[in-house]
Amino acid sequence: RQDEVLAACVSLAKSFKTDKIRCFDFWRLADPAPHRAAIDEKLRDAAEITRKNGIDLILENEHECNTATAPEAARLLSAVPILNLNWDPANAVMAGEHDAFPAGWKLLPKDRIHHCHCKNAVSDSQGKVVWSPVDIGFIDWAAQFRALKSIGYHNAVSLETHWRGAGTPEASSRISWAGMKKELEASGTLVAS
């Protein structure tokens, strides 16, 4: 039903007057290699459809999907030149890429990053990677914000509130938002209005 879903997304994007649709590249397979060419072709076709409708198709690197890490995202963007990226360094961390920033970041074509998700992850006492507030974890968000500014990034950075450690979703989101503001201030990238 992916073609139906895409058609509905194009219609909704037009209704909401947005020029972006976010996508993923299917649930992670144990070995995506035998299916990679077909996945790339499906994404290429979808990106052509959205482009013809004046909409940018952006793929989020997602730890539960076939493109999770920066190396995987760089490979995909090379294979599908009309697709762009929703960069989520914490998703790369969840997939085992603990140096998603800055090492993974260096691999990405910066002009193809058209959205960014802000969240973080840490190793718990058993060594398992778990979500955390934005200002605590593997991702140095102040440095990531400076890197985004240095490339002339002008698209959105949205808080993604996966961490639920404060008791309620609202309390957890407030703590993550405070951490994001702290990292933005520390980055020196905020411009007074």
Side-chain angles (χ1 to χ4, degrees):
R1 299 189 53 219
Q2 294 305 308
D3 294 337
E4 295 170 38
V5 171
L6 182 61
C9 288
V10 168
S11 177
L12 286 169
K14 289 179 177 183
S15 293
F16 285 108
K17 296 180 175 53
T18 183
D19 63 350
K20 292 183 180 75
I21 294 173
R22 178 187 59 159
C23 70
F24 303 95
D25 65 347
F26 308 101
W27 295 117
R28 189 141 187 121
L29 301 167
D31 180 13
H35 310 282
R36 195 67 251 184
I39 293 169
D40 292 352
E41 187 62 30
K42 190 66 177 173
L43 290 168
R44 191 175 296 108
D45 292 346
E48 286 288 354
I49 290 167
T50 60
R51 176 187 271 182
K52 287 176 185 170
N53 283 278
I55 298 168
D56 181 19
L57 188 64
I58 56 173
L59 180 126
E60 178 178 346
N61 62 295
E62 162 60 47
H63 67 283
E64 293 181 333
C65 294
N66 291 301
T67 296
T69 64
E72 290 170 345
R75 189 223 56 86
L76 177 63
L77 294 173
S78 177
V80 185
I82 60 173
L83 186 67
N84 291 304
L85 181 65
N86 175 53
W87 173 231
D88 190 325
N91 277 347
V93 169
M94 277 292 182
E97 185 183 7
H98 295 171
D99 195 11
F101 183 86
W105 165 261
K106 291 176 183 173
L107 303 174
L108 301 173
K110 308 306 183 279
D111 62 329
R112 307 270 299 281
I113 299 170
H114 288 197
H115 194 87
C116 185
H117 281 172
C118 185
K119 61 182 183 273
N120 219 330
V122 295
S123 289
D124 69 10
S125 60
Q126 286 80 41
K128 181 181 177 196
V129 178
V130 296
W131 300 120
S132 63
V134 171
D135 59 330
I136 301 168
F138 285 99
I139 307 302
D140 177 348
W141 273 102
Q144 176 69 87
F145 289 138
R146 283 190 296 274
L148 286 164
K149 183 178 181 179
S150 75
I151 64 165
Y153 184 80
H154 62 277
N155 290 292
V157 177
S158 58
L159 175 65
E160 207 173 27
T161 57
H162 286 8
W163 177 70
R164 292 287 187 256
T168 68
E170 180 182 349
S172 302
S173 295
R174 288 182 183 278
I175 290 170
S176 283
W177 173 233
M180 184 174 175
K181 288 194 304 187
K182 176 182 160 192
E183 294 299 293
L184 278 164
E185 290 166 358
S187 73
T189 61
L190 289 178
V191 177
S193 56

